[in-house]
Amino acid sequence: MESIKQKHLKMLYDYKKELRKKPQLRKLFLELTLRCNERCLHCGSSCGDVKSIEMPVNVYFEFLDKIAEDFKGRLPMLCITGGEPLLREEFFEIMSYAHRLGFKWGMTSNGTLITDKIAMKLQECGMGTISVSIDGGEQTHDAFRRTPGGYKKAVAGIKALMRQGFKEVQVTSVITKKSIGELDELFELMKELDVDSWRVIGIEPIGRANTLDDYMLGYDEQRKMLNFIRDKRREGWSVLYGCSHYLGLEYEREVRDWYFLCNAGLYTASIMANGDITACLDVERRPETIQGNILRDDFTKVWRERFEIYRTPLWTRSERCEGCDERDFCEGGSFHSWDLDRNEQKVCLKQKEKMYVY
């Protein structure tokens, strides 16, 4: 007998076919800088103490004006990221302008620069949501992010946000072989901080993490992480797995609020620090994944007329995926972990012993 999950996934499959024809821009990521005060081992964008091309403030103002006009009545949420976005000198100027135009916005941050004063300024310029990274216990976190004192500063930043009264403070934890044994410790910290939600994800083979074989979770460790999330959710806690991968019938709908759907190019677009237009900022940056640049292209036209690479199911490019009985549910998995040279999914939880293909 067909399970309720299979029925839901078949409905989602039909929905995705229509969504590829008429994508809905729900989230627009703005990468304000590639500079960062941390040098995380796993950074997908290889951020840190680097030189970063940063577009002038007036370019952002003109861009936001056009988005506000082109998407009037259905503005996408702005998701602000970097690097560490608070290192952008004109951060509050840009976000105050977006707020005045009516955009809802949230931010991803390492939290280390957030003080009571900064938290107040974030509230004044309209920030609604924020995700701060805590990737293990103190020693594990600081080593992973190559930032002595980073853990204490991030915790202090979260506390400042809570004192300011923010209602949607999320912590994101990237779990590795080094931190898989610290899930319970992290959970106790989340309870102490009283954050709104805790997003738990496994390390991904992207960016600098492509060289971190010793950090990648094995199949049993992935299951341990997913079982932990499922158990906490059943107890009523707001713990969730990210959108990273299709998890199979055992875990789909168990560890997040709905089923897997890679948002890249369907719900989500991104503007890189240099103005390049792409789908998801975690996707490898190469000519075929970049769809234009806002300094020379009309973003709305690009969104509507390009992005074909993201709107074609990935499984159609892979013999390995073609024979899978769940290909319509997975569609080849997440674009950010797709090997564009070999046309294979680098992370497939159905493969067990051969889960990572890279």
Side-chain angles (χ1 to χ4, degrees), residues 24-190:
Q24 304 169 19
L25 184 62
R26 297 185 179 181
K27 291 186 177 181
L28 179 57
F29 283 76
L30 301 182
E31 179 185 71
L32 296 187
T33 182
L34 287 174
R35 292 181 292 123
C36 190
N37 57 334
E38 296 190 325
R39 296 178 296 115
C40 306
L41 288 172
H42 67 301
C43 183
S45 303
S46 300
C47 300
D49 186 15
V50 298
K51 291 183 179 179
S52 173
I53 298 173
E54 296 173 1
M55 294 184 297
V57 171
N58 69 294
V59 172
Y60 280 111
F61 290 173
E62 292 170 6
F63 173 71
L64 291 170
D65 283 339
K66 189 169 191 312
I67 297 300
E69 179 62 31
D70 291 351
F71 293 86
K72 187 181 298 183
R74 47 189 172 88
L75 294 182
M77 180 174 179
L78 300 181
C79 304
I80 310 304
T81 185
E84 170 50 52
L86 287 171
L87 286 176
R88 179 66 194 251
E89 185 178 349
E90 306 90 349
F91 175 89
F92 290 104
E93 187 178 355
I94 295 168
M95 298 323 302
S96 293
Y97 190 83
H99 181 49
R100 288 196 296 272
L101 288 175
F103 285 98
K104 293 182 179 179
W105 67 275
M107 178 172 66
T108 300
S109 172
N110 60 39
T112 61
L113 302 177
I114 299 175
T115 61
D116 286 321
K117 182 179 179 180
I118 293 296
M120 182 176 66
K121 292 179 70 174
L122 288 168
Q123 192 170 69
E124 288 172 349
C125 64
M127 187 181 77
T129 66
I130 187 169
S131 181
V132 177
S133 298
I134 299 284
D135 295 320
E138 183 172 357
Q139 290 185 341
T140 303
H141 175 93
D142 288 357
F144 191 49
R145 293 185 160 258
R146 295 190 287 185
T147 308
Y151 175 92
K152 288 181 178 177
K153 290 178 181 177
V155 170
I158 293 168
K159 289 180 177 179
L161 291 164
M162 301 302 288
R163 282 194 296 272
Q164 192 59 35
F166 283 100
K167 300 299 183 184
E168 295 189 52
V169 177
Q170 181 183 82
V171 170
T172 294
S173 297
V174 175
I175 303 302
T176 72
K177 278 186 183 294
K178 313 290 184 181
S179 60
I180 188 68
E182 299 176 359
L183 286 169
D184 288 321
E185 177 185 346
L186 281 167
F187 177 66
E188 292 304 315
L189 176 64
M190 299 308 125

